[in-house]
Amino acid sequence: MFEKLKENKQLWLNSLSIFIVGVGLLFIYFILKNVGLITEEIHTFILLIRPVIIAFGIAYVLNRPMIFVEKKLKGISRKLFKKEITSGVSRSITILFLFLLVVGAIYVLFNSIIPPIIKNLRLLLESLPMFQDSMSYYINELGPYVQSFITQQQIDQISSFVTNLLSSAGTYALQLGTGVITNVTGFAISTLTTIILSIYFLKDKEVLIDSLNKGAEVLLSEKVLSRVKQLLRDLDTVFGGFLIAQLIAALLAGICSTIILLLIGHPFAILVGLVTGVANVIPYIGPILGAILGSVLGLFSSLHLAILSLILLTIYQQLDANVIQPKLLSSSVGLNPVWVLIAILIGGHYLGMVGMIVSIPSAALAQIYLTRRYHRLKEKQQI
């Protein structure tokens, strides 16, 4: 049999192909049979390396501010001491400065922001039993303006749905917030580990990148490696700029919404501002959700406050949607504001909220490659 295989090359290749297919089928069978175990192991592994993933994300976000502060620090050093401080010293001072800011922000969060939010959530849960009665009262006050197109049964159904929704969301958020505060030891250890890893990522980023580059040179051909590097540079340019712009937009939306509601005496101003800022990760959605939530929660106090909240936050939403976000996103990813709006509309239509998030960086990446393709064709005089 073996002699025949040696003499007949085609038979050898066919036998090898059958063997590979058989091994592949056995491997697929093993995976399908143990899919639950494999999923559980993957989940365990992700939980194990979660501090590493979070630390990498923090380091990535802080990388651009670090580069900016380092340049400023070296410039100040040249002016004051007539010489530039070493890269190691400037890097260490910059990292210390940035993490002092981060620790300060965490301190402010736990001492000035989370307690009022928890207070807001408790007030919300305590006020929920009165919500349905308040809705009926406001409908009766409005009288013929609304009773012509909505029945009492529909009012009861809507108020019951809103009450249950707010109750579930408020209870979950309250449990989450109090859980973080009470589980101080576990949170402190996880945070400390993440901060240490982030510092190492920032301090030794050139060494880490060089190590990855050497490993890639062994595994990939020069041509493929060059394309991978170019892709990673483009992704860093586009997604890095998009991330910074979204964080700024979310912070602005949260702060502005909170200030607006505080000025009109809204009892849930901080809670609505937080939801608005977090939801603003999805372009243009945050202020809309804030306007709706601010109006609904305003009904706990008065109909006048609910309507005023809706009007003011809707005005801010228009400002955010048509001025702030297009300007920030177009500056950060290099897209014209018109293309930003078109990308969001298309992404939202086909992929919903996920599409709205990824549409802008995807469109910016497509623009980069189309522009490069255009210039290459023009250089070759093919267009």
Side-chain angles (χ1 to χ4, degrees), residues 167-177:
S167 177
S168 301
T171 303
Y172 174 77
L174 186 60
Q175 289 173 349
L176 185 66

Side-chain angles (χ1 to χ4, degrees), residues 137-211:
Y137 172 77
Y138 294 138
I139 295 297
N140 291 329
E141 284 290 306
L142 292 171
Y145 296 105
V146 295
Q147 289 175 354
S148 58
F149 60 87
I150 187 170
T151 64
Q152 185 62 44
Q153 184 181 1
Q154 290 172 326
I155 294 168
D156 293 339
Q157 288 175 346
I158 292 169
S159 59
S160 177
F161 171 77
V162 174
T163 302
N164 292 333
L165 181 65
L166 290 174
S167 177
S168 301
T171 303
Y172 174 77
L174 186 60
Q175 289 173 349
L176 185 66
T178 53
V180 169
I181 291 174
T182 54
N183 190 20
V184 176
T185 305
F187 179 78
I189 293 171
S190 178
T191 303
L192 185 62
T193 305
T194 303
I195 288 174
I196 291 171
L197 285 169
S198 301
I199 291 172
Y200 275 111
F201 282 146
L202 287 170
K203 182 178 177 295
D204 300 323
K205 69 170 187 174
E206 289 83 5
V207 177
L208 294 170
I209 291 171
D210 185 59
S211 300

